[in-house]
Amino acid sequence: MLFAFRGFMVALGFFGVVYCLLSVLVVGVWRCARPLCRNSAVAAARLLFGLRIFPLVGSAFITLAFALPAFFLLEGGMDEDIGTLLFSAGTLLLLAAGFVRILSAQKGALHVVAAWLKGAHALEAGAAVPILRANHGAPPLLLYGISTPQVLVSEAAVSLLSPEELRVAVRHEMGHLRSRDNLKKLILYGAPFPGMGSLERAWQEAAEFAADEAAVTNSADAVDLAAALIKLCELVPVQAQPAFTTGLVDITALIDVRVRRLLAWNENSSRFVRLRWWFLPAVLVTLPYTAVHYSHALMFTHQLTEWFIH
Amino acid sequence: MNGMNHVASEAGPDRVRLGPLERKILEEVWSRKSKSLTVRELVEDGKIPLAYTTVMTTLDRLFKKGLLDRVEEGRAFRYSAQCAPAEISRLVAVAGMRRWLESSSSSSLPLSCFVDAISAHDASLLDELRVLVERKRLELKKRKEKQ
């Protein structure tokens, strides 16, 4: 039992160190690669989110696949020292801070959205996701919720937009829903790291462009969405938008670019970029190689862990 | 490059107000592949037909404004840009606003004026976008009628 606890502590410390190292690497890579993200909005949004969560996923994978097995298979003595304790405590603190951050933001969001939803009624029956007409104070259009998402449409949006504009604006929110952008925001919220702010902003911008692209199927849709954006960005928000939600006019500074992009829309730019399987060959080569050399990899990881801890 | 000492300006970019010569020299620094130059390199290049001392004074002024960084290289200085070209417009705007705020006797007036100015800017931008949208709508309508 004590041995398993020690293994958990060492793995936690290892995870923290690898997470920080990978995060620093990503911040550096992002600074160099920023000008390269000029491709399709969907591809850019995926790439940027992938880059942002790479430290979290990468360090979790390395810890679970290598550091933990290496400890249980290769660790003999009881020689953990203050280093183990410090690293694991630091990592626990980091994880706990992320968790508390998520909980408090979620609590605040619940409170705000509950007020907007008091007495709200369905705007459109039979939609895949409930579309509700929200009370006064709600942002014009908002996608709320992760497991049970809802689209909130304010009174002002209903009265300002034409039926076509409203339909395409709701489709924009559905684009966010399909991309699971609220879940992605929650993950980013729970894994903060200094220097990641500009990467997160770039992802949010790309996610808005991607949702615009997902909402539009022809030039008329593009013009309707552009008109909706212009009309709605004039509405002054009563209060800040809650966490883990996406609104149609989240980033007002981006309206100019979004409208111009939409007006320049054509059939070719509408093609939803499918996930390219360019990484499959790399996985097919890496997996058998790792399987063959797994014992060496474990020994190397064990030595690395010892070096980190001591 | 032995004995190079990094020298930082204490002024910071809050004193940004660029004259034409300063802007020209800054552009020259940005255009360099090495992103750094000495006074002699700039003069010998011949793109700026000015006396050595004039160029030296201008570079020194840009350094004191916090726009250039410099390191000692022998008996001279090697200058490099502190900020990107895009950053300059922002710094100039910020410096201008700060000067204006400091010069005003009423503390609340300038901020409200800025809000008005920005709102007016936003409104004109939205008007411009609205015109673009209407023009596109018209274009689509005409195309539909032709078909």
Side-chain angles (χ1 to χ4, degrees):
Chain A
M1 184 67 187
L2 188 66
F3 186 69
F5 178 71
R6 279 179 56 227
F8 175 71
M9 296 282 277
V10 169
L12 211 56
F14 185 83
F15 169 83
V17 172
V18 176
Y19 174 73
C20 290
L21 288 176
L22 290 181
S23 295
V24 171
L25 179 77
V26 163
V27 171
V29 166
W30 164 237
R31 288 203 176 147
C32 305
R34 195 187 309 220
L36 301 176
C37 294
R38 296 277 183 273
N39 296 324
S40 145
V42 180
R46 282 178 183 157
L47 181 76
L48 293 170
F49 183 73
L51 190 64
R52 175 60 185 84
I53 61 155
F54 171 68
L56 187 71
V57 176
S59 50
F61 174 75
I62 294 171
T63 305
L64 292 174
F66 297 101
L68 211 57
F71 180 86
F72 287 114
L73 292 171
L74 303 172
E75 182 68 12
M78 299 273 286
D79 57 347
E80 263 58 59
D81 56 12
I82 192 78
T84 315
L85 201 68
L86 276 178
F87 278 121
S88 53
T91 310
L92 264 180
L93 210 66
L94 196 76
L95 293 174
F99 190 65
V100 169
R101 217 168 156 234
I102 289 176
L103 279 185
S104 64
Q106 181 67 12
K107 199 178 156 195
L110 265 174
H111 180 71
V112 172
V113 175
W116 291 337
L117 285 176
K118 215 171 268 176
H121 58 274
L123 193 73
E124 193 182 312
V129 167
I131 301 169
L132 305 168
R133 198 166 172 154
N135 288 328
H136 177 71
L141 255 106
L142 187 82
L143 174 71
Y144 169 72
I146 294 165
S147 55
T148 50
Q150 297 167 320
V151 176
L152 275 63
V153 185
S154 74
E155 293 283 346
V158 175
S159 57
L160 269 175
L161 303 183
S162 70
E164 290 78 25
E165 288 166 355
L166 186 59
R167 186 176 44 81
V168 74
V170 169
R171 280 219 306 260
H172 168 96
E173 297 308 321
M174 294 302 177
H176 281 302
L177 177 71
R178 273 196 297 276
S179 307
R180 297 182 181 84
D181 285 338
N182 285 352
L183 176 65
K184 287 174 183 172
K185 280 186 179 178
L186 183 135
I187 294 170
L188 300 193
Y189 215 75
F193 197 83
M196 291 286 193
S198 72
L199 177 55
E200 285 175 15
R201 274 193 299 279
W203 168 70
Q204 276 187 22
E205 289 179 10
E208 286 305 324
F209 293 144
D212 284 348
E213 280 182 16
V216 169
T217 51
N218 55 48
S219 299
D221 280 351
V223 174
D224 283 335
L225 186 56
L229 283 174
I230 295 169
K231 285 179 185 176
L232 296 182
C233 86
E234 284 181 303
L235 298 175
V236 181
V238 175
Q239 58 194 104
Q241 194 171 301
F244 322 136
T245 60
T246 43
L248 185 69
V249 281
D250 268 2
I251 314 167
T252 43
L254 214 59
I255 295 295
D256 182 25
V257 188
R258 285 173 68 190
V259 167
R260 287 176 201 278
R261 272 177 74 108
L262 285 165
L263 295 181
W265 187 94
N266 61 46
E267 296 292 329
N268 297 330
S269 62
S270 73
R271 295 284 155 259
F272 190 79
V273 179
R274 300 211 173 274
L275 186 65
R276 294 208 173 96
W277 296 97
W278 52 266
F279 59 88
L280 203 62
V283 173
L284 287 176
V285 171
T286 313
L287 269 181
Y289 184 84
T290 313
V292 169
H293 297 280
Y294 191 60
S295 57
H296 290 109
L298 285 186
M299 274 167 66
F300 174 72
T301 312
H302 187 66
Q303 283 168 0
L304 202 66
T305 314
E306 296 272 329
W307 184 74
F308 275 155
I309 302 298
H310 300 296
Chain B
M1 303 279 273
N2 283 342
M4 270 178 30
N5 294 317
H6 185 274
V7 189
S9 163
E10 289 173 4
D14 55 345
R15 289 175 56 187
V16 178
R17 184 189 272 170
L18 290 178
L21 180 58
E22 289 174 330
R23 189 168 282 276
K24 201 170 179 188
I25 285 183
L26 253 183
E27 280 165 5
E28 196 54 41
V29 177
W30 285 325
S31 70
R32 296 283 167 140
K33 267 186 183 169
S34 61
K35 300 286 176 204
S36 71
L37 44 69
T38 60
V39 180
R40 184 162 300 282
E41 283 169 6
L42 192 56
V43 172
E44 283 175 356
D45 200 25
K47 284 184 185 169
I48 297 173
L50 291 168
Y52 184 94
T53 46
T54 313
V55 174
M56 188 173 73
T57 313
T58 313
L59 282 168
D60 184 59
R61 225 167 30 229
L62 286 169
F63 163 72
K64 283 177 179 160
K65 286 181 177 180
L67 298 173
L68 291 182
D69 211 355
R70 73 183 181 192
V71 288
E72 271 182 59
E73 195 177 276
R75 285 193 299 167
F77 285 113
R78 176 165 286 280
Y79 291 89
S80 58
Q82 273 266 47
C83 48
E87 184 78 348
I88 279 289
S89 318
R90 194 184 66 80
L91 291 175
V92 171
V94 168
M97 285 184 204
R98 193 173 292 172
R99 269 198 306 276
W100 191 59
L101 279 170
E102 283 166 0
S103 68
S104 173
S105 52
S106 164
S107 58
S108 64
L109 178 67
L111 275 179
S112 63
C113 289
F114 271 130
V115 171
D116 286 348
I118 290 164
S119 303
H121 173 262
D122 284 352
S124 68
L125 177 69
L126 287 178
D127 283 343
E128 187 193 324
L129 293 175
R130 224 174 267 124
V131 169
L132 289 176
V133 167
E134 284 315 310
R135 202 178 289 162
K136 185 77 182 181
R137 261 202 180 127
L138 214 65
E139 187 189 310
L140 288 177
K141 199 177 166 188
K142 277 182 188 166
R143 206 184 297 166
K144 209 174 173 183
E145 281 168 1
K146 271 185 191 170
Q147 282 171 354

